[in-house]
Amino acid sequence: MQQGIVIANSDRLRPPAGHYSHTCTAAGLVFVSGQLPVDISGKPMSDQPFARQAEQVLANVDACLEAAGADRSRLLQVRIYVTDMNFWPAFNQIYANWIGDVRPARVVAGVASLHFGLLLEIEAIALAPA
């Protein structure tokens, strides 16, 4: 651990396969690494429809926030990467149901492709617990 940086990995997710942590907390902020639609066993959900992939990614974000002692109400920014902007209306509805009354800043970016042929990835920044 670097001075002033706390890392946390969720026990509800597969341990990181690469050289990263699920979350890093520093200077009062929680940084959530990009989350893909991968289940707890580590299986990419490439064969699942977009809506199911979106639900899994949001559940993974929840697991990361929880591991850092935070939750959705502390989100400051959410970045969503999608491989097809035609998914945007469906995602926006799923996201609205998930986020409720919380209104963090948000970025939605179309990308050419994602690892394992998945359809979306989400990263986030939240306020650390007091």
Side-chain angles (χ1 to χ4, degrees), residues 34-35 50 54 57-58 61 77-85 87-88 91-92 95-96 98-99 104-111 114 119-124:
Q35 296 299 304
F50 178 82
V57 168
L58 293 169
V61 169
Q77 184 177 50
V78 178
R79 294 183 186 131
I80 302 112
Y81 305 97
V82 294
T83 59
D84 185 340
M85 291 304 286
F87 293 133
W88 176 242
F91 180 78
N92 199 42
Y95 178 85
W98 175 78
I99 201 76
R106 185 172 72 178
V107 174
V108 179
V111 296
L114 291 166
L119 302 175
L120 77 161
E121 181 171 0
I122 297 177
E123 63 175 313

Side-chain angles (χ1 to χ4, degrees), residues 33-56:
S33 291
Q35 296 299 304
L36 292 164
V38 175
D39 67 21
I40 193 167
S41 74
K43 180 182 181 289
M45 300 174 70
S46 307
D47 60 341
Q48 296 296 309
F50 178 82
R52 181 64 194 106
Q53 288 191 36
E55 291 163 356
Q56 183 64 54

Side-chain angles (χ1 to χ4, degrees), residues 1-2 5-10 12-25 31-44 60-61 64 115-116 118 121-124:
M1 177 178 78
Q2 298 167 316
I5 299 173
V6 176
I7 62 170
N9 292 314
S10 174
R12 293 180 22 214
L13 300 174
R14 182 173 184 172
H19 195 75
Y20 67 95
S21 299
H22 292 147
T23 68
C24 289
T25 301
F31 297 86
V32 177
S33 291
Q35 296 299 304
L36 292 164
V38 175
D39 67 21
I40 193 167
S41 74
K43 180 182 181 289
N60 291 355
V61 169
C64 290
H115 200 42
F116 305 118
L118 293 162
E121 181 171 0
I122 297 177
E123 63 175 313

